[in-house]
Amino acid sequence: MTTPPSPAAPPPGCPAHRLYGPEAEADPMGLYEKLRAEHGSVAPVLVHGDLPAWLVLGHRENLDVARTPSRFSRDSRLWHAMRDGKVPADHPLAPIATWQPVCNFQDGPEHQRLRAAVTESLERFDRRGVRRYVKRFADQLLDGFADSGRADLVEDFAEPLPMLVMTQLLGAPESYGPRLVEAGRDMIKGTETAVASNAYVTETLRQLLARKREVPGRDFTSWLLEHSTALTEEEIVEHLRLVLIAAFSTTANLIANTLRLVLTDRRFRANLSGGHMTLPDALEQVLWDEPPLTTILGRWATGDTRLGGQHIKAGDMLLLGLAAANADPAIRPDLTVPVHGNRSHLAFSGGPHECPGQDIGRAIADTGIDTLLSRLPDVELAVAESDLRWESSLMSRELAALPVTFTPRGATLTTATAVAGTSTAQPLPEAVTASAVPAPVADRAPVGAPWWKRLLGRR
């Protein structure tokens, strides 16, 4: 169950549509276009608990909100519903709407102070080193099912890969990965157990921070600790949580969406294999058409203002409609035309709160998919495209599963051998040959861990 029970329709006389519940989750893009037709670039909506909000649908209007914190703040304490006690601790949106001491809930000098620590720490990663970690974990995941001839590329690849890489970059033992995958997904979906999942993630990161105080390393956690004169311990934990969950959820969705497109769109795969499109180009197209987050919650009006012809009152909540903005007819009158070399999409938001780790997310997706297509060049969808199921929530739309089949290949088969054995190898990014940075020793895998965790724990 992904949302609390709700009536079949909004309260009588209410002009707003719900952004949650079965109807909204069945076809989010269809709902966005219906709202655009009824209200224009900004539409009144209802979020969990039938709390009123505004969904920003226009590309220009989204940029206006994202770039003007003086009018639209990230400080959720302005939200009148929060002030009026309508968002209790057990509310499904509490984990992502309750104010926290992190950069994405701040504006102005406080935002700059916190954001600088995060950005400087992220920039210390060598991008080749990140790709080596991705290649290492992707190969290990593939080794787990390469000889079976079938897999679910969501559960077996797209979801575990980003979390395994991010736990490595944070300096955490690999044994942290499995439970964090489960808790991270649950937390951002606004489920009834989201609060408990959020508590688990936070406590796990507190334990990691304590370990790194004793034994620092060359990792994101240790580098944030070097900013301890500027950041409190609580701020460090919250930024670890922010980076981990944001990177996991968005990158897993990006990988799954891109793989689905490769497997279902013959023109897409032909462009890759024929050299007319590189894998980074393909990723950007997916970021336009199926951004990992469909909406971002939220911004709060600092005073009465107007946006897209709507009168916004002080304390109103606005949601950035990233997917809707990317499909705005004002900038994309024909959605069937490929958008090559254009990064003006809003998949990573915009303005001072634009995602600081987007290049790492791209590197994980690019290298992971590269490795999979090289090792399994004949991978095919195992079911009809119409049989694929989706799970939608207020902020995202995700594939529930991506079952595939391929010619079984032994776990010891190298990438070079796999590519050499085919005549239609795709043009892939240049391989990185530099030696890998030594990685922390993995903790022993728990007895009940998934197969991919048991595999990694045995190396």
Side-chain angles (χ1 to χ4, degrees), residues 28 51 53 58 72 82-83 93 95 105 113 133 155 162 167 205 241 269-270 297 360 368 380 389 426 430 436:
L51 301 178
F72 306 104
M82 188 77 73
R83 294 199 311 265
L93 297 184
F105 278 97
R113 174 181 70 87
Y133 281 136
E155 180 180 359
T167 53
L205 295 175
R241 168 184 169 276
R269 193 160 188 171
L297 180 154
I360 291 178
E380 298 286 349
R389 294 182 301 103
Q426 292 86 357
E430 182 178 352

Side-chain angles (χ1 to χ4, degrees), residues 256-277:
N257 287 344
T258 304
L259 286 171
R260 183 196 65 81
L261 196 56
V262 169
L263 294 170
T264 59
D265 192 324
R266 293 183 180 276
R267 295 170 301 172
F268 192 95
R269 193 160 188 171
N271 282 335
L272 277 179
S273 60
H276 303 298
M277 178 186 291

Side-chain angles (χ1 to χ4, degrees), residues 91-301:
H91 190 278
L93 297 184
I96 53 177
T98 303
W99 185 89
Q100 298 151 25
V102 291
C103 58
N104 67 324
F105 278 97
Q106 305 273 13
D107 294 304
E110 271 298 285
H111 172 257
Q112 295 171 11
R113 174 181 70 87
L114 298 169
R115 172 90 173 201
V118 172
T119 301
E120 290 169 9
S121 298
L122 289 174
E123 288 176 348
R124 293 178 67 171
F125 284 117
D126 171 60
R127 293 303 182 261
R128 290 188 175 183
V130 173
R131 290 182 182 272
R132 287 195 296 273
Y133 281 136
V134 179
K135 179 69 166 58
R136 165 191 163 199
F137 286 124
D139 274 327
Q140 290 175 331
L141 290 169
L142 287 163
D143 284 347
F145 59 79
D147 59 352
S148 69
R150 58 193 314 111
D152 172 6
L153 294 186
V154 172
E155 180 180 359
D156 299 338
F157 192 79
E159 287 187 347
L161 180 60
M163 189 61 84
L164 291 170
V165 175
M166 289 309 300
T167 53
Q168 191 77 65
L169 298 184
L170 264 62
E174 290 166 12
S175 59
Y176 281 33
R179 287 290 303 278
L180 287 176
V181 169
E182 180 182 353
R185 285 197 69 195
D186 184 65
M187 180 184 136
I188 66 170
K189 287 185 176 182
T191 69
E192 292 177 327
T193 56
V195 174
S197 293
N198 177 58
Y200 171 80
V201 171
T202 303
E203 181 55 32
T204 300
L205 295 175
R206 288 190 193 282
Q207 295 174 15
L208 172 63
L209 182 60
R211 292 176 62 152
K212 288 300 172 180
R213 284 192 185 279
E214 297 296 325
V215 185
R218 295 183 56 79
D219 52 67
F220 184 68
T221 305
S222 299
W223 293 331
L224 280 184
L225 276 168
E226 293 180 11
H227 291 271
S228 58
T229 56
L231 300 181
T232 66
E233 180 169 318
E234 183 69 17
E235 288 171 342
I236 293 176
V237 169
E238 290 299 333
H239 283 91
L240 290 174
R241 168 184 169 276
L242 171 66
V243 169
L244 179 69
I245 297 302
F248 158 63
S249 60
T250 56
T251 308
N253 211 1
L254 176 59
I255 293 172
N257 287 344
T258 304
L259 286 171
R260 183 196 65 81
L261 196 56
V262 169
L263 294 170
T264 59
D265 192 324
R266 293 183 180 276
R267 295 170 301 172
F268 192 95
R269 193 160 188 171
N271 282 335
L272 277 179
S273 60
H276 303 298
M277 178 186 291
T278 66
L279 193 49
D281 288 338
L283 288 172
E284 293 306 317
Q285 185 68 49
V286 172
L287 288 168
W288 271 102
D289 295 336
E290 297 182 90
L293 294 179
T294 54
T295 63
I296 291 182
L297 180 154
R299 296 295 194 278
W300 289 272

